[in-house]
Structures are given as C-alpha cells and as structure tokens.
Amino acid sequence: MIPNSPPVLPPVLSDTTFVLVLALLLLAPLAIAGVALINTGLGRSRSAAQSLLGSLAIVAVAVIAFALVGATFTGSVAGAGHTFHVAGKPWNWLGAGSLFLDGLATAPAQAQLGLLFEFLAAALAALIPWGSGADRLRLAAGCAIAAVFGAIVFPLFAHWVWSGGWLAQLGVNFSLGSGFLDPAGAAVIHVLGGLSALAVVWIARPRRGKFPQGGFATAMPGHNAVYILFGCMLALAGWLAFNVAGAVLWLHAPFAALPVTAINTLLSASGAVAATFAVTRIRFGKPDASLCANGWLSGLVASSASAATVTPVQSLMIGLIAGVLTPLLVELLELAVSIDDPSGAISVHAAGGLWGLIAAGALAPQPGQFIAQLVGIAALLGLVLPLVYLLFWLLNRVIPFRVDQDGERIGMDLHELGGGAYPEFVIHRDDSYR
C-alpha cells in the first residue's frame, strides 16, 4: 500500500458559496438535536436523563476521536491516499491526511468546509446506535462505541465516498456513472449508523421482558410523544442544511439547483409521513405517533441520497415508498426476527438509507450509475457490517455493553446518574420482571 498522487482538485469556492455553506453547516446540528430528542422520547421515562446526557457525551467523544485519529484516515479530495493497484486499476482505500488537523487553517476553503461537514456527519452517525441500545446500554459503552466509530469506522467509509476513495472513483475507473454518489450521507451517516445499531442490538440483546418465552413481543411504548414529534421538526431543519450543503460540497451543484434540493427534502419527508399515517390508520384503526415519526425520519434519510439528483415528483414517490416500508419493517423485525430496537434506527436509518441509494441510482440518467450504487451497498453490507460487528464484539469484551439486571430494573437514570429525569413522579411498571 503506497500513497498515490492527489486527485484532480475540485472547483474553487467563491466567497458567496463559502459563506452559504458555512451558514448551512451551522444549522446542521439541529438534525443531531432532533435525533437525540426522538431517541429519548422513544425510550422509557426512567432512562430519559441518561439518554440525553449520553447523546451529548457521544457527540463529544465521536468529535474528539475523529479529530485525533479519524480525520487523518479520511483525508480530503485534494489530498493523497493509500492505494492498491489491482488489474491495472488504482483502489484508494485509506486517506493520508495530516495528524491532529495540522495545517487546517491554511487548507483550501473546500477542504475546511468538507472537514466540518464530516465532523457533523460523524457526530450524527455515532448517535444512531445509542437509540437502539436504549434502556440497557451503559453510558461508558456508548462512549466507547462512539470512539471506535469516530476513529475507525466512519473515517474509512467516508474516505471511500467523499475523499476520492475507490467508491468515488468507480466512474473514472469502470465507467459506472459518476461513481458512488452520496451527497448528504444516506450511506456514510445513516446506513453506517443503522448497521452499527444492528450490531449493538445483536450484542446487547433485547430488554428483559421484551420477548417472554412462548409469548408475543411485549409492547414497550416510548414515554414522551411530544419529544418525539418536536424532534422531527428540529430534524427537518438540520436535514435541509445537510442536503443543500452536501449538494454544493460533493456534487458542486450550482445555486439554481439548491431550492429544488430543499423542496425535494421536504417532499420526501412529507410523502413518507403521509404514507405511514395511512398505513397505521388502516392497520390499527388510528394513526400511531411514534411510527409516523419514524416514517418522517425515513423520508428524510432517503432524501439524503436523492434530493439533489431527482425531480420533485420522483422525490415524493421515494418518500411515499419509504413511509409504507418503515412501519412494516419495524413490525417485521420485532415480531419475526425478535430484534428489540426502541428507536427504530435499523428500519429508519439503515433500510431508509438503502432505499434512498437504490432509488437515486435507478432514477439517475447516467449509464452505470445504478450499478455504482449497488456496489456501494454491497460494500456496506459485505465489508463494513462484518467489520463493525467484529470491532463492537471485541469492545464488548473489554467494556460490557449491557447493564446488569438490577440496573435495568430500576432504570438507567437511577443506576448510572443517581437521579431521574422526572423527580416529581415515578412511573415504574415491573410486571415484566415478576
């Protein structure tokens, strides 16, 4: 493995474009806040404070790990990478950036903004598994997962897609459209985070009482629908910022294309929540608030792959399909596969992101783009998922993921923080532990 020569430099950003993208990225943390609130609301009341404190800690740890280690492996589009040569083709697998962000202040504007985008993306992606481990995942384990994610998992795949890695070069090397396209992180943030959530759920196992022997899955509804639905509103603002900024940074979209990108984001989310509302209304007799919230998020996740490249009508259809699939997949994973995912991250982020990537490739006008998207999906499922599971399995041997039985019984707030989020009242139902 040897460093290769730097790839072709991207277009130089004008001052106006720089200010626009910077302003958008300063709004992007609203997506992080929205997901954190949704995760908290979907968990139980006796774990609410631990959930939100964990969200802050995970963001901090992921950012620090990415700054100290991960950014070096991610590199930049204008920088060198480590390349294997197979069958006469270069395969750029790993970035070769500066250590500890050395020289960042003098880097080109595009590289600085790209790095800020990646910092925020790493923080959001690391937060996704935390919601799936709700009510039984220890705070120390969540922080350790974020450290591994920010230092190794995220930087590797981000380099492949955003920093001139082998997936981005599929178009140049194999004439597959424009290479693997993921302008706002459907794969790098959401599928990666959703697959990490799957690994966490497999290792941590279901909450006690969720799947009693010989019985159906026990309903453990989220404790605060207001948090969940308000989180969806915050998430919309953050997603608009991510999608429009990603279109400029990674697709070099002109200003005229940015309003359409924002409109497509809104249409995808709106179509998804409308479809989930209808599905739950037909299936249960009344719409389900938490599933509708998951449908809304799934539409936003799908838009991360497609909002900058499809028409408004196509974006609406993508959202409608995402909204139909999400509640069905949530039910399938719980009832048929016995997966306990309180936040629905596997259905929303992993499946929603995969659907968005497939739709973006299928609707792309460039020949070979659909194949490029499928190659990226295959890399996620065939390379990244086993790597994530292995890393988390080893980490669990050092820092056990799951809290002990007594901690789960009394709640994560009392067990880990010594106090609850709602000291004025106590809502504990211990029927499932008897």
Side-chain angles (χ1 to χ4, degrees):
M1 188 170 67
I2 57 174
N4 70 320
S5 57
V8 178
L9 294 175
V12 177
L13 295 180
S14 67
D15 291 343
T16 303
T17 305
F18 179 88
V19 172
L20 170 64
V21 175
L22 180 60
L24 288 168
L25 292 180
L26 295 179
L27 292 174
L30 289 174
I32 299 173
V35 171
L37 270 181
I38 292 168
N39 287 346
T40 300
L42 287 169
R44 311 194 76 174
S45 61
R46 57 196 183 199
S47 301
Q50 189 246 19
S51 176
L52 268 181
L53 175 60
S55 298
L56 282 175
I58 283 167
V59 167
V61 171
V63 164
I64 293 170
F66 185 73
L68 296 180
V69 180
T72 302
F73 296 147
T74 304
S76 67
V77 175
H82 294 285
T83 302
F84 290 106
H85 289 270
V86 179
K89 301 290 185 180
W91 296 75
N92 190 333
W93 284 82
L94 196 64
S98 302
L99 290 172
F100 312 125
L101 305 181
D102 184 48
L104 176 60
T106 58
Q110 171 98 2
Q112 292 188 32
L113 290 175
L115 186 62
L116 176 57
F117 189 103
E118 289 163 354
F119 265 104
L120 296 170
L124 177 55
L127 190 59
I128 294 170
W130 179 241
S132 295
D135 302 322
R136 77 273 201 201
L137 190 63
R138 296 168 61 238
L139 185 56
C143 291
I145 289 169
V148 171
F149 197 93
I152 301 173
V153 177
F154 176 86
L156 180 66
F157 196 73
H159 175 74
W160 294 355
V161 177
W162 289 335
S163 298
W166 67 275
L167 285 176
Q169 296 300 312
L170 289 174
V172 173
N173 292 334
F174 300 98
S175 300
L176 295 179
S178 300
F180 182 71
L181 293 180
D182 184 25
V188 180
I189 299 174
H190 301 291
V191 178
L192 196 58
L195 294 179
S196 299
L198 178 59
V200 166
V201 168
W202 277 338
I203 293 170
R205 306 182 311 280
R207 292 169 287 182
R208 293 187 67 234
K210 180 63 179 177
F211 300 109
Q213 291 184 353
F216 293 103
T218 302
M220 293 182 175
H223 83 281
N224 196 318
V226 176
Y227 285 179
I228 298 167
L229 297 175
F230 182 62
C232 289
M233 298 177 188
L234 287 179
L236 173 63
W239 248 271
L240 288 168
F242 265 119
N243 284 1
V244 175
V248 176
L249 285 174
W250 311 124
L251 297 183
H252 316 302
F255 283 169
L258 302 187
V260 177
T261 300
I263 290 169
N264 286 347
T265 302
L266 183 58
L267 281 173
S268 183
S270 300
V273 75
T276 304
F277 187 101
V279 168
T280 56
R281 175 68 174 82
I282 293 169
R283 186 159 180 77
F284 307 121
K286 296 180 180 179
D288 184 280
S290 62
L291 287 176
C292 285
N294 275 342
W296 173 267
L297 270 188
S298 183
L300 290 174
V301 169
S303 77
S304 297
S306 60
T309 59
V310 299
T311 67
V313 172
Q314 290 171 337
S315 193
L316 178 61
M317 291 304 300
I318 290 170
L320 287 170
I321 294 173
V324 171
L325 292 176
T326 298
L328 301 179
L329 188 55
V330 167
E331 187 174 359
L332 175 66
L333 290 177
E334 182 171 303
L335 299 183
V337 193
S338 296
I339 287 180
D340 183 14
D341 180 9
S343 69
I346 299 167
S347 303
V348 170
H349 296 277
L354 290 173
W355 161 238
L357 293 168
I358 291 170
L363 297 172
Q366 305 97 321
Q369 189 61 54
F370 183 58
I371 302 300
Q373 300 301 98
L374 292 182
V375 172
I377 291 171
L380 280 163
L381 299 178
L383 297 176
V384 177
L385 177 57
L387 173 64
V388 168
Y389 183 82
L390 175 62
L391 290 173
F392 287 1
W393 182 84
L394 293 172
L395 186 62
N396 182 51
R397 299 290 174 175
V398 180
I399 303 176
F401 284 9
R402 192 184 180 101
V403 71
D404 58 41
Q405 292 187 10
D406 186 62
E408 189 176 354
R409 181 184 63 80
I410 66 174
M412 304 300 289
D413 287 356
L414 285 175
H415 181 71
E416 294 212 306
L417 306 181
Y422 309 101
E424 294 86 0
F425 61 91
V426 177
I427 300 178
H428 279 188
R429 289 197 57 185
D430 296 327
D431 298 346
S432 60
Y433 296 98
R434 294 176 182 173

